[in-house]
Amino acid sequence: AKRIGKSNFQFYQEQLPKKVYGDTELETLLRKAIEREEFFLVYQPQINAITGHIDGVEALIRWENNIYGLIGPNDFIPLAEETGLIIPIGEWVLRNACSQAKQWQVDGMKPFSVSVNLSIRQFYQDNLPTVIEDILTKTELDPQYLVLEITESMAMDSTIASNVLQQLKNIGVKISIDDFGTGYSSLNYLKKFPIDYLKIDQSFVQDLSTDKDDREIIESIIMLGKKLGIGLIAEGVETADHVDFLKNLACNVLQGYYYSKPIAAEQVPGFIQESAFSND
Ligand code: C2E
Ligand code: CA
Ligand code: CA
Ligand code: CA
């Protein structure tokens, strides 16, 4: 009988989970997912450290497939980007997030913002501002409550990016730079472009208790934001230590498991009612 060497076996084992779904099969399923209504959004609260109340929520997509179960965005957004499916999926996300934000207001809740992640493909599609304007009109959401999260990797120095950002700004939506500090762009765009918020990447927050460099990077980002009049949001806030450190530096808005994991839309009103986090 053929013997499988130990290292071969391990190699095979490690590969196995990835092969459960091949990219073509995943792509086929992804193409059908919108019409089959397999996507849903969860919302992660963003807490204002000064008031202890909710400032907004970030919409995060989930995919529930009847064969493969729950598939996280890290496992299908890259493929959606490669195949261009991110355009219809991204539009679905925008429409649903805006419609939900409006619904919360109609239900009588004090308005708060909803942040939506945009992929580079969406950002550079021909008509993004028109698409967004259209969704805002149809859902009747006041544009000031929509925050678009984009990443630095979106080649911020180009004229196209500058035009798109200006058009979005004219519509009245807010712009946030996600994963700030991990991209490659020159910081020059921060003063040239209409940026409302910087989201300090969670990799810096994660180790701040033990890593002095991470603390200093966070401090520098906060100082930079304050000097330029840009709002600051820290993500990946998991512990009381994280909260203390960030509050001491007057980082206004905090998001992470310490306050809440992403939750279903129906859970948001209850969360807001029950959670008035103390501000001392
Ligand atoms: P992101 O935009 O940086 O979102 C933050 C991720 O960190 C989320 O993972 C969130 O659940 C997770 N997270 C939040 N708080 C904590 C914490 O305290 N500790 C830790 N360890 N993690 C925390 P998720 O939902 O799996 O999303 C992963 C990424 O997928 C997102 O990263 C974003 O880049 C992308 N994504 C999610 N939804 C969408 C979407 O609708 N459109 C696009 N284009 N991308 C999306
Ligand atoms: Ca984000
Ligand atoms: Ca992020
Ligand atoms: Ca990320």
Side-chain angles (χ1 to χ4, degrees):
K2 215 167 147 192
R3 256 192 80 201
I4 298 165
K6 198 186 171 211
S7 58
N8 273 339
F9 182 69
Q10 280 179 339
F11 178 72
Y12 188 68
Q13 281 273 36
E14 273 167 27
Q15 293 300 306
L16 198 58
K18 280 191 184 158
K19 287 199 170 164
V20 168
Y21 39 76
D23 268 10
T24 19
E25 191 185 354
L26 195 65
E27 186 183 332
T28 309
L29 293 174
L30 202 52
R31 283 190 187 280
K32 296 178 183 151
I34 291 187
E35 49 185 277
R36 289 186 179 169
E37 298 183 31
E38 294 180 341
F39 293 121
F40 62 100
L41 296 178
V42 289
Y43 296 89
Q44 188 174 35
Q46 301 173 321
I47 303 301
N48 186 310
I50 298 162
T51 62
H53 293 294
I54 199 165
D55 233 39
V57 292
E58 177 177 4
L60 295 156
I61 194 169
R62 297 290 180 267
W63 179 18
E64 175 97 63
N65 178 266
N66 56 353
I67 302 166
Y68 297 111
L70 196 61
I71 307 172
N74 287 328
D75 289 326
F76 68 88
I77 292 289
L79 183 65
E81 283 169 348
E82 270 170 47
T83 53
L85 286 168
I86 194 64
I87 302 292
I89 294 173
E91 248 181 79
W92 180 91
V93 173
L94 279 162
R95 205 166 345 100
N96 277 265
C98 290
S99 146
Q100 182 60 66
K102 177 68 184 183
Q103 190 56 51
W104 282 318
Q105 295 179 11
V106 169
D107 291 345
M109 307 184 65
K110 192 167 166 241
F112 52 85
S113 68
V114 64
S115 296
V116 173
N117 292 285
L118 280 194
S119 298
I120 185 157
R121 281 285 286 263
Q122 280 177 282
F123 187 73
Y124 283 112
Q125 82 188 81
D126 288 341
N127 55 347
L128 179 71
T130 315
V131 167
I132 287 177
E133 220 174 352
D134 200 53
I135 289 171
L136 288 167
T137 307
K138 290 213 170 92
T139 58
E140 295 177 31
L141 179 71
D142 185 331
Q144 65 170 312
Y145 297 115
L146 176 61
V147 181
L148 300 173
E149 294 195 1
I150 61 180
T151 58
E152 285 175 285
S153 58
M154 297 188 180
M156 287 306 170
D157 276 335
S158 81
T159 331
I160 303 171
S162 165
N163 285 340
V164 175
L165 285 172
Q166 199 50 61
Q167 288 179 65
L168 293 172
K169 206 60 212 165
N170 293 344
I171 294 172
V173 301
K174 304 252 157 64
I175 308 289
S176 179
I177 306 292
D178 203 358
D179 306 337
F180 187 76
T182 63
Y184 313 96
S185 297
S186 90
L187 294 174
N188 203 30
Y189 71 90
L190 287 180
K191 75 169 196 237
K192 283 198 309 210
F193 291 169
I195 308 290
D196 299 285
Y197 304 103
L198 298 180
K199 278 189 100 167
I200 303 168
D201 189 66
Q202 51 183 285
S203 62
F204 302 121
V205 177
Q206 221 92 88
D207 300 327
L208 69 79
S209 307
T210 50
D211 193 324
K212 187 162 177 289
D213 291 339
D214 283 347
R215 285 198 296 274
E216 304 212 322
I217 290 170
I218 292 176
E219 246 183 283
S220 316
I221 295 175
I222 292 174
M223 268 168 52
L224 180 69
K226 299 234 177 260
K227 287 215 167 107
L228 297 173
I230 301 174
L232 293 152
I233 302 173
E235 63 179 357
V237 176
E238 291 185 351
T239 68
D241 271 4
H242 295 166
V243 174
D244 286 347
F245 178 82
L246 291 159
K247 268 188 184 174
N248 279 336
L249 293 174
C251 180
N252 318 340
V253 185
L254 308 179
Q255 178 184 352
Y257 296 167
Y258 178 80
Y259 294 105
S260 174
K261 292 203 164 168
I263 54 180
E266 308 82 70
Q267 291 178 284
V268 169
F271 175 88
I272 292 177
Q273 224 167 27
E274 282 156 35
S275 64
F277 293 96
S278 85
N279 58 350
D280 35 62

